[in-house]
Amino acid sequence: MALIEPTILAADADRTARALGACVERFAIVVVEECDSTNSALRDFPPEDDGRTHVLVAHHQRAGRGRRGRTWQAWPGLSLTFSSLWRFAPSPTVPAGLSLVAGLAVACTLEKLGVEGVQLKWPNDVMVFGKKIAGILVELVPGRGRTPAAVIGIGVNLALPSGTHIPDQPGVTSLADEIATSKIEASTVLAGILISLDDRLERYTQGGFAALRDEWQQRNAFADLPVSVRDEQCETVGICAGVDEDGALLLDTDQGRTRIIAGDVSLRAAL
């Protein structure tokens, strides 16, 4: 089990800046002891556009959120919780597959840190051998005459309190449980994710999700497995055929191939 340096979030944007190295000028990072939600803070009060990616990190979120209104479970000193503001060119369509791009950035960072068995669960979870280690929440910033933007919220389990159980999750894990290195600073994790996310958002800007689709498919946790997808109206059962070039989930059902777009859905392995 790795020892995670627990003081980084409250301690230092400076450590993260050093970990970012030559990439530091691309980011404006603010670290706070606590807030209601980093996503809400950036969404409701977006900073002025100065050409940098604005990042808000919180040691503790009083009202951290996951998808479908769920509470994001995090523990001060043991969780990395932050949001990044990404501005994109005006378009008649909303950027597709953005949560998948963010999940891919986290997955690739964990792999570079030595985590094995990293998987992606559509549309917004990062897993290790079937156990959740990170989650994504993407929200659009209201226009109000501004450049269109999205807030990308990311939560990573650095370590877990003893006996942790999260409802509706088949299992959870943490970086401390999965990494072979004896010690790692959370600033290293944060910097790695920011660099990976910046790189993939640049590729996304140039080629859409299609430019990243193959990378995501390689880590698809449910590739070729029977799954059920549930929303508020119905349940769809089929074989997971991956995602298309817009990031929509593809299921092979008795009625043929079905395309499911991001929304209030949940994905479970079918019995």
Side-chain angles (χ1 to χ4, degrees):
M1 177 181 292
L3 173 64
I4 301 294
E5 168 58 52
T7 62
I8 175 275
L9 293 182
D12 286 328
D14 288 341
R15 287 189 187 180
T16 303
R18 290 195 295 271
L20 285 168
C23 299
V24 66
E25 293 184 0
R26 301 180 196 173
F27 304 95
I29 301 173
V30 174
V31 181
V32 297
E33 191 66 32
E34 68 175 25
C35 68
D36 285 341
S37 161
T38 55
N39 256 40
S40 295
L42 281 184
R43 182 197 63 200
D44 297 341
F45 305 100
E48 293 298 321
D49 186 2
D50 60 6
R52 297 180 295 174
T53 297
H54 288 262
V55 180
L56 177 62
V57 187
H59 179 70
H60 174 59
Q61 295 191 74
R62 293 183 294 268
R65 294 175 290 114
R67 289 180 65 248
R68 305 181 70 184
R70 293 191 180 101
T71 299
W72 174 258
Q73 297 288 334
W75 302 270
L78 302 180
S79 302
L80 173 62
T81 54
F82 69 97
S83 297
S84 173
L85 184 67
W86 178 64
R87 292 181 168 92
F88 53 92
S91 169
T93 59
V94 174
L98 196 52
S99 66
L100 279 67
V101 176
L104 179 60
V106 173
C108 291
T109 301
L110 296 180
E111 290 169 350
K112 287 183 178 180
L113 291 171
V115 179
E116 298 181 355
V118 179
Q119 304 166 307
L120 292 167
K121 175 186 172 185
W122 185 90
N124 68 329
D125 287 345
V126 183
M127 309 175 77
V128 177
F129 291 119
K131 296 182 178 181
K132 184 172 178 176
I133 193 170
I136 316 293
L137 177 64
V138 175
E139 298 180 291
L140 295 181
V141 176
R144 301 171 188 166
R146 302 186 182 98
T147 301
V151 176
I152 302 170
I154 296 175
V156 182
N157 298 330
L158 299 178
L160 296 173
S162 178
T164 297
H165 170 73
I166 299 178
D168 300 322
Q169 293 295 335
V172 291
T173 189
S174 71
L175 189 58
D177 292 319
E178 301 295 341
I179 202 166
T181 305
S182 60
K183 180 178 179 180
I184 188 168
E185 289 189 352
S187 57
T188 302
V189 183
L190 175 59
I193 293 174
L194 291 178
I195 293 170
S196 182
L197 183 60
D198 185 66
D199 172 68
R200 281 161 180 81
L201 286 175
E202 178 62 29
R203 291 161 58 189
Y204 179 84
T205 299
Q206 299 299 320
F209 181 70
L212 299 161
R213 177 174 177 259
D214 288 347
E215 276 192 89
W216 195 96
Q217 297 272 60
Q218 292 168 10
R219 298 165 177 82
N220 180 8
F222 290 93
D224 301 320
L225 293 176
V227 297
S228 63
V229 180
R230 303 179 181 91
D231 60 23
E232 294 178 355
Q233 284 76 41
C234 63
E235 176 182 18
T236 304
V237 177
I239 301 298
C240 180
V243 294
D244 67 12
E245 293 189 349
D246 291 323
L249 182 68
L250 300 175
L251 289 187
D252 288 332
T253 72
D254 292 341
Q255 292 72 42
R257 179 157 291 185
T258 299
R259 181 177 185 270
I260 300 175
I261 63 173
D264 289 341
V265 298
S266 60
L267 184 64
R268 296 286 187 271
L271 298 178

